[in-house]
Amino acid sequence: MPESRRPRMLSPLREHLRETFWFAPTAGLVGVFAVWLAAAALDTAIVDELRGRGQYAELGALSTITEDARTIVTTVSQAMMTFIGVVFSISLVAVQMASGQLTPRVVRLFVRRRINKLTLTVFLATFLFSLLVLTSYESETDPQRIVSVPLVQSVVTLLLVALSLLLFIAYVTTMLRLMQVGPVVDRIVREALRVVHRRPAGERHPAGLPPETGRVVHRGRAGVLRDVHVARLVRAAGREGVVLRLIPRVGDYLVPGTPVLAVHGEALPRPGAPAGGPRSGVLRSAVSVGSDRTFHQDLGLGLRQLVDIALRALSPAVNDPTTAVQCLDRIVQFLAVVADRPLGVVHHRDRHGAVRLVEDAPGWEDLVDLAFTELRGAAVAGPQVTRRMLAGIDDLLPLAPEERREPLLRHRALLAHAVEYTAPEPADRAFALEPDRQGIGRSGRRRTRG
């Protein structure tokens, strides 16, 4: 039996929240309001304790300290929102430049980065907390009549300011890395490999299914199939004793009326339950459709982004073959990881080990074609890219099982044919068809001597 793990219940919700930029700041504002209430209650308790002991001199000293801190809190409240606006305006310009240079899909890296959300959350929390602290200051100066001295609140404000400065440094560092090709493509391939390790392995020899007894069509808005709630579908199929089959692949574009799920097998009769198998509404609610693809369950999205960056780098307007070589490095890395992994159809099982959901996923040939087809056509004019692509294919051939070498050999032969057709001089053809992991890093003569 292939590797199988039970689907996680909250996995789709967690991933969808990571694709948003509002949840973390909103939760932070609610949390900082709770912190302010706790700090205000603690300040009141300190005043009540000192008054109960008759220590009015100490209470007056605390009042003097907090009045000095009031200037800092006022300055923070006035400057923080302006600081937030300037920082994130510059950041949006940087993201726009990166998306224009690499690919528009790089914006999602900015949205998903935790440091970006944490920075905005702390900035807004500092601003809100400073405003709340200002409401706690009193005009009364007589220690015997003071009700609250915002000492703890002032200390928390200073701590939030210090944390904001530290996060600002980390945030700027992150934004600078976002404008560099290497960190961006490295981040993409790490997310893509996380999808590989998180998903169950495919079936080398998928088992047969019972006869199809019904279908569920998409009734919502048109959009990309982002992911499916695997745990909900497995649970629904288990209750009815049927097997569900996901007809489109994750990443396909759906329009209303497109078949989404096929029901295989007859539903078990249950007292009081409607006939006809699982309810269509329950099944449709487990299918998430949005405006763009996500990494949650999309095995090919990482390769798609790497190829997009490489194609833009090879366009005549950019003409940056080195960036294409960097993308090929990560493409070969990704294919090397999945070279011996069972791919294709995935069987999701319930807690008893019974297959309840069958999902069609990209196979080895699909991934190889996605990685090399478009790049092969755009790379023939650049020997740096053709040499790196040939070296990558040669590195993958020993790693791939015998039955998986045909797509690699096919792309190698097609690339060699395209170069021979494009390059008029024999010396240029020989140079362009010499494998080199750096693109143009060393000649065949030096490699032979090594």
Side-chain angles (χ1 to χ4, degrees):
M1 180 180 296
E3 177 190 357
S4 177
R5 67 179 67 178
R6 292 194 49 197
R8 299 179 180 179
M9 296 297 295
L10 299 180
S11 181
L13 176 61
R14 182 177 63 251
E15 288 297 322
H16 292 175
L17 290 178
R18 285 197 65 187
E19 296 290 338
T20 65
F21 210 74
W22 60 267
F23 178 76
T26 303
L29 293 178
V30 175
V32 80
F33 187 80
V35 172
W36 172 73
L37 291 177
L42 186 56
D43 285 330
T44 302
I46 292 175
V47 172
D48 294 340
E49 180 68 19
L50 293 177
R51 183 183 289 114
R53 295 181 180 180
Q55 298 176 342
Y56 295 106
E58 288 80 357
L59 187 58
L62 288 181
S63 178
T64 302
I65 294 174
T66 54
E67 282 297 325
D68 295 336
R70 183 175 187 174
T71 304
I72 300 177
V73 175
T74 303
T75 303
V76 170
S77 64
Q78 293 175 348
M80 202 66 197
M81 186 54 69
T82 303
F83 180 67
I84 293 173
V86 172
V87 169
F88 279 86
S89 296
I90 297 175
S91 301
L92 292 178
V93 173
V95 171
Q96 185 177 7
M97 293 177 59
S99 63
Q101 178 185 0
L102 302 176
T103 174
R105 264 69 64 185
V106 78
V107 177
R108 66 177 304 280
L109 296 180
F110 173 82
V111 175
R112 286 178 63 89
R113 290 301 294 270
R114 291 188 176 93
I115 184 64
N116 300 339
K117 299 177 182 179
L118 180 61
T119 301
L120 179 61
T121 300
V122 174
F123 282 4
L124 293 176
T126 304
F127 172 71
L128 177 60
F129 194 87
S130 62
L131 293 180
L132 294 174
V133 172
L134 289 177
T135 64
S136 300
Y137 282 96
E138 300 180 0
S139 58
E140 184 63 55
T141 58
D142 186 359
Q144 297 184 1
R145 297 182 179 180
I146 293 178
V147 178
S148 176
V149 176
L151 176 64
V152 176
Q153 300 174 61
S154 300
V155 172
V156 174
T157 303
L158 296 178
L159 292 177
L160 286 175
V161 171
L163 180 59
S164 299
L165 295 176
L166 293 176
L167 286 176
F168 174 69
I169 297 174
Y171 178 77
V172 171
T173 303
T174 300
M175 293 305 301
L176 291 177
R177 289 178 60 84
L178 185 63
M179 299 179 67
Q180 303 175 39
V181 178
V184 170
V185 296
D186 183 68
R187 179 74 180 183
I188 291 174
V189 76
R190 282 193 285 120
E191 289 209 29
L193 292 178
R194 191 176 296 119
V195 177
V196 172
H197 297 310
R198 186 170 55 223
R199 287 176 59 85
E203 298 278 357
R204 293 188 184 273
H205 303 287
L209 296 177
E212 182 178 325
T213 57
R215 286 193 170 189
V216 178
V217 299
H218 177 55
R219 295 297 188 191
R221 62 172 184 171
V224 177
L225 178 59
R226 303 172 64 190
D227 54 33
V228 294
H229 200 306
V230 175
R232 187 181 301 173
L233 292 176
V234 169
R235 189 169 60 249
R239 284 197 303 262
E240 303 293 339
V242 298
V243 179
L244 298 175
R245 177 172 58 88
L246 185 66
I247 298 174
R249 286 183 180 177
V250 173
D252 288 355
Y253 194 85
L254 305 181
V255 297
T258 303
V260 177
L261 290 167
V263 181
H264 291 262
E266 295 292 341
L268 299 175
R270 293 188 297 122
R279 290 176 294 174
S280 300
V282 175
L283 301 183
R284 291 194 189 98
S285 65
V287 177
S288 174
V289 175
S291 58
D292 205 357
R293 299 166 68 175
T294 65
F295 265 111
H296 181 209
Q297 298 173 353
D298 199 334
L299 189 61
L301 180 57
L303 282 180
R304 179 70 270 168
Q305 292 187 352
L306 292 173
V307 172
D308 286 346
I309 295 175
L311 289 175
R312 177 165 296 199
L314 293 176
S315 65
V318 179
N319 194 21
D320 183 12
T322 303
T323 295
V325 168
Q326 288 181 278
C327 293
L328 278 169
D329 293 339
R330 271 66 178 196
I331 289 173
V332 173
Q333 175 188 353
F334 178 85
L335 293 177
V337 172
V338 301
D340 195 31
R341 182 181 177 86
L343 299 171
V345 178
V346 178
H347 286 182
H348 299 279
R349 293 172 167 81
D350 59 15
R351 59 184 177 180
H352 302 296
V355 175
R356 293 303 178 189
L357 175 63
V358 178
E359 177 186 357
D360 185 19
W364 169 253
E365 186 172 358
D366 299 324
L367 296 177
V368 172
D369 289 341
L370 175 60
F372 294 126
T373 300
E374 295 174 296
L375 279 181
R376 192 187 68 242
V380 291
Q384 181 180 358
V385 185
T386 59
R387 289 160 62 95
R388 179 63 187 98
M389 189 178 298
L390 289 171
I393 294 176
D394 290 347
D395 289 339
L396 290 172
L397 284 172
L399 301 177
E402 184 67 31
E403 65 274 11
R404 289 189 173 183
R405 294 178 182 176
E406 189 277 331
L408 296 172
L409 295 173
R410 171 166 51 86
H411 281 283
R412 198 186 196 288
L414 289 174
L415 178 60
H417 178 74
V419 171
E420 291 175 355
Y421 180 80
T422 305
E425 297 295 331
D428 292 336
R429 291 197 297 268
F431 183 81
L433 293 176
E434 183 179 358
D436 189 345
R437 293 190 182 93
Q438 294 186 30
I440 302 178
R442 54 181 180 174
S443 68
R445 184 183 309 170
R446 287 196 297 269
R447 183 163 58 251
T448 302
R449 290 178 180 178

